[in-house]
C-alpha cells in the first residue's frame, strides 16, 4: 500500500500546550498521548493538521449529533491545499464527483442515504454470506502449507475488495487498478501530499471516476442483481430520488469505502488478538465469542481513528471555544478508550460487555451504511482462520508501521508464523 514518507515538525503550539504533543500522525505513541489529552486538555488545537482535536467520548458523541451547528462537509477534503494544476487536470477529465454521503449535510444527505439504504442493508449483506465464506475459504487455501505469511499482503489486502466487487458486480480482474487508485485516494484525501503526488493523483482520480461512470453506463445497458443495478432501479430515471451524477458518486464512494477500512480493520484485529494471545485462544476454544471479539477490535484498534467535522458557528465544547469555520477531528481512537465509558480501556478483552459502544463506524445520521457487511466479513474470516490456523503467531521482532494519516490506523504489513 502506498504511503507518504513526509517529515513532520513538532513545533510548539501557539494556542495550547497539548498542541505539539499528541501528533495525529505518530501511531506508535498515539494512544498514550491521547490518554493524557483526555485527562489534561480534552479539546486542543493541533497546528500540525490545522484541526481542533476532540478526545472525549461524550464530546465526540455530542458533535456527531449536533447537526444544527456542525457540518460534515469536510470529511473527505484533501489534507493539504490542492494545487490549481491538480484541480485543472480533474476539471479537464470531467471529474464531477459531488458531496453526497459522508461529506454531505441536510436534506440531500437524507435523500441519498435513503436511496442507498434500500440496497446497502442487512438483507443484501446476509444473502452474501455463502459467497463471502467461499472467498475466505479460497484465500485460506492459498495459505495452506506455508510456514509464514504477511497477513496484510496475503489475506486482508484483497479479500474485502473481492467482497465489494461481488456486491457491485465488478470483475475480479480489475483488482490491481482499483486497489492502486484507492491507495492514491487515501493519500490525496487523508494524508499530506506533495505537488507531484497531487498531479499523479489527479490523473488517477480522473481514471477512477471514469471507471465508475463506465460501470454505471454498462449496468444501464445490461442490468444485473448487483448494487449498481439496484441503485438504478431505485432511481427509476427520477432525479428527485437520485440524479445520475449522484448515483455515480455513491458508486465512486463505495469503490473506496467498501474495502479500504475493512482491510485495515481485519489486520488490526489479527494483530491485537495475537498480541494478547489469551484472547486468540479464547476465540479458538469458543467461536461464539467471535462477534464480541470483532466489536472489541473496533473499539481497541479501530481502522478509523479520527473523522472530521466543521463548526458552522462558534461552539463551546470541553471548555474550549472552537471558532466558526473551525475544522474538527473527532478522535474515535481516543473516545473508544475513554475511561468514563470503558473500564480499564487500555486492556484488550474479547469478553468486554460494552465494546459495541465504540465510535469507529460513527454514530447518528451518518453512521456507516456498510457496518453490517464489515462485521460479517470479520466474523467469517475469524471463524475460518481460527479453525484452520489456531497456532498462528506474530512473527518475532516484527515491527508494524502504519500509513501516514490521522484518519486511518492502517498497518502496512503483519508478518506471522502460521505453524
Ligand atoms: C471496518 C470497516 C469500516 C469502517 C471502520 C467504516 C467507518 C465509517 C465511518 C467512520 C463513517 C462516517 C460516519 C460519520 O460521518 O459519522 C462511514 C460512513 C460510511 N460507510 Fe463505512 N466503514 C467501514 C466499512 C464500510 C463498508 C464495507 C461499506 C460499504 C459496503 C461502507 C460504506 C459507508 C457509507 C456509504 C458511509 C456514508 C454514510 C452516510 O454518510 O450516510 N463502510 N463508515
Amino acid at each position: 500500500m502506498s504511503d507518504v514518507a513526509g517529515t513532520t515538525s513538532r513545533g510548539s503550539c501557539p494556542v495550547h500546550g497539548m498542541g505539539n504533543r499528541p501528533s495525529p500522525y505518530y501511531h506508535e505513541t498515539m494512544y498514550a498521548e491521547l490518554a493524557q489529552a483526555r485527562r489534561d486538555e480534552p479539546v486542543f488545537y493541533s497546528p500540525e493538521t490545522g484541526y481542533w482535536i476532540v478526545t472525549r467520548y461524550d464530546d465526540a458523541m455530542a458533535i456527531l449529533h449536533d447537526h444544527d451547528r456542525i457540518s460534515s462537509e469536510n470529511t473527505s477534503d484533501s489534507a493539504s491545499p490542492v494545487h490549481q494544476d491538480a484541480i485543472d487536470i480533474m476539471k479537464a477529465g470531467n471529474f464531477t464527483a459531488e458531496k453526497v454521503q459522508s461529506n454531505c449535510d441536510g436534506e440531500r444527505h437524507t435523500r441519498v442515504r435513503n436511496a442507498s439504504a434500500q440496497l446497502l442493508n442487512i438483507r443484501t449483506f446476509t444473502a452474501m454470506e455463502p459467497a463471502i465464506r467461499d472467498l475466505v475459504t479460497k484465500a485460506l487455501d492459498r495459505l495452506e502449507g506455508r510456514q509464514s505469511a504477511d497477513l496484510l499482503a496475503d489475506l486482508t489486502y484483497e479479500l474485502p475488495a473481492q467482497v465489494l466487487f461481488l456486491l457491485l458486480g465488478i470483475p475480479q480482474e480489475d483488482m490491481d487498478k482499483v486497489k492502486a487508485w484507492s491507495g492514491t485516494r487515501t493519500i490525496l484525501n487523508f494524508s499530506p501530499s506533495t505537488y507531484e503526488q497531487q498531479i499523479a493523483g489527479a490523473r488517477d482520480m480522473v481514471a477512477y471516476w471514469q471507471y465508475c461512470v463506465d460501470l454505471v453506463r454498462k449496468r444501464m445497458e445490461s442490468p444485473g442483481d448487483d448494487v449498481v443495478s439496484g441503485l438504478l432501479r431505485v432511481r427509476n430515471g427520477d432525479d428527485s430520488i437520485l440524479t445520475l451524477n449522484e448515483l455515480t458518486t455513491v458508486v465512486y464512494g463505495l469503490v473506496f469505502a467498501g474495502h479500504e477500512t475493512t482491510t485495515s480493520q481485519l489486520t488490526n484485529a489479527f494483530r491485537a488478538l495475537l498480541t494478547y494471545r489469551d484472547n486468540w485462544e479464547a476465540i479458538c476454544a469458543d467461536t461464539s465469542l467471535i462477534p464480541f471479539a470483532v466489536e472489541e477490535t473496533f473499539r481497541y484498534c479501530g481502522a478509523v481513528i479520527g473523522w472530521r467535522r466543521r463548526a458552522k458557528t462558534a461552539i463551546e465544547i470541553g471548555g474550549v471555544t472552537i471558532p466558526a469555520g473551525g475544522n474538527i477531528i473527532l478522535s474515535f481512537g481516543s473516545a473508544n478508550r475513554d475511561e468514563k465509558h470503558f473500564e480499564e480501556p487500555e486492556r484488550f478483552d474479547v469478553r468486554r460487555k460494552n465494546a459495541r459502544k465504540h465510535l469507529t463506524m460513527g454514530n447518528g445520521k451518518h453512521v456507516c451504511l456498510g457496518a453490517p457487511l464489515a462485521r460479517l466479513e470479520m466474523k467469517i474470516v475469524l471463524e475460518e482462520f481460527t479453525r484452520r490456523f489456531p497456532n498462528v503467531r506474530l512473527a518475532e521482532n516484527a515491527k508494524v508501521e502504519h500509513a501516514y494519516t490521522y484518519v486511518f490506523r492502517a498497518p502496512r504489513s503483519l508478518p506471522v508464523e502460521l505453524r
Side-chain angles (χ1 to χ4, degrees), residues 64 75 101-102 109 113 120 125 164 167 254 257-258 261-262 265 298 303-304 307 309 332 360-363 365-371 373-374 377:
L64 283 170
T75 60
Q101 257 179 333
S102 168
H109 169 256
R113 185 173 169 104
L120 302 174
F125 300 146
L164 183 85
L167 186 74
L254 288 175
T261 40
T262 315
Q265 191 62 51
F298 276 122
V304 176
W307 205 242
R309 290 290 191 263
F332 292 164
T360 299
M361 306 284 202
N363 196 284
K365 272 190 187 178
H366 282 276
V367 71
C368 175
L369 269 178
L373 180 60
E377 286 179 51

Side-chain angles (χ1 to χ4, degrees), residues 110-163:
T110 309
R111 179 171 53 79
V112 175
R113 185 173 169 104
N114 286 346
S116 312
Q118 293 191 46
L119 281 308
L120 302 174
N121 56 45
I122 295 261
R123 198 163 13 94
T124 308
F125 300 146
T126 309
M128 294 180 74
E129 175 154 4
I132 298 174
R133 202 170 289 276
D134 188 49
L135 284 173
V136 173
T137 303
K138 287 188 176 123
L140 298 189
D141 286 348
R142 291 192 285 277
L143 294 180
E144 280 297 348
R146 289 179 54 175
Q147 292 297 319
S148 59
D150 171 357
L151 282 190
L152 174 67
D154 296 323
L155 180 69
T156 62
Y157 181 66
E158 282 195 359
L159 192 61
Q162 290 174 336
V163 173

Side-chain angles (χ1 to χ4, degrees), residues 163-389:
V163 173
L164 183 85
F165 284 15
L166 282 185
L167 186 74
L168 298 187
I170 296 179
Q172 298 289 335
E173 56 265 27
D174 290 352
M175 179 67 67
D176 288 350
K177 62 183 174 196
V178 169
K179 283 302 274 189
W181 286 332
S182 302
T184 306
R185 201 161 156 189
T186 303
I187 294 173
L188 289 187
N189 291 1
F190 304 112
S191 302
S193 50
T194 62
Y195 174 81
E196 289 72 23
Q197 283 169 323
Q198 289 193 7
I199 297 302
R203 293 197 182 105
D204 272 2
M205 289 311 100
V206 166
Y208 197 169
W209 173 253
Q210 199 51 53
Y211 177 85
C212 296
V213 170
D214 288 347
L215 182 65
V216 172
R217 203 201 55 241
K218 281 184 201 151
R219 291 298 174 276
M220 287 171 84
E221 290 163 7
S222 157
D225 59 1
D226 54 274
V227 160
V228 182
S229 305
L231 286 169
L232 284 163
R233 276 191 288 275
V234 168
R235 166 175 137 79
N236 197 22
D238 183 348
D239 283 352
S240 71
I241 298 173
L242 212 53
T243 69
L244 206 52
N245 200 62
E246 285 171 343
L247 188 151
T248 310
T249 310
V250 168
V251 173
Y252 176 73
L254 288 175
V255 176
F256 177 77
H259 60 98
E260 280 295 294
T261 40
T262 315
T263 283
S264 299
Q265 191 62 51
L266 270 170
T267 319
N268 291 342
F270 274 109
R271 187 178 179 204
L273 285 161
L274 297 176
T275 301
Y276 305 103
R277 196 168 177 89
D278 49 327
N279 288 275
W280 177 257
E281 280 158 13
I283 63 167
C284 288
D286 177 2
T287 50
S288 71
L289 282 174
I290 287 176
F292 300 95
V294 168
E295 297 308 323
E296 178 67 344
T297 70
F298 276 122
R299 183 196 73 84
Y300 185 81
C301 45
V304 176
I305 47 172
W307 205 242
R308 290 177 276 181
R309 290 290 191 263
R310 181 171 290 145
K312 293 192 225 174
T313 61
I315 57 159
E316 205 194 307
I317 191 101
V320 167
T321 301
I322 299 180
N327 285 313
I328 301 168
I329 295 174
L330 303 177
S331 176
F332 292 164
S334 175
N336 289 343
R337 294 191 184 199
D338 188 330
E339 26 294 283
K340 186 173 166 200
H341 289 267
F342 302 101
E343 222 179 298
E344 289 187 72
E346 307 296 336
R347 191 164 54 84
F348 178 75
D349 180 2
V350 297
R351 293 190 173 84
R352 185 181 291 279
K353 292 278 179 291
N354 67 347
R356 208 181 155 96
K357 273 178 69 176
H358 65 77
L359 297 182
T360 299
M361 306 284 202
N363 196 284
K365 272 190 187 178
H366 282 276
V367 71
C368 175
L369 269 178
L373 180 60
R375 290 189 161 105
L376 180 64
E377 286 179 51
M378 295 196 50
K379 177 172 120 26
I380 295 173
V381 170
L382 291 177
E383 281 170 358
E384 296 299 326
F385 205 99
T386 47
R387 197 166 57 74
R388 289 178 60 172
F389 301 99

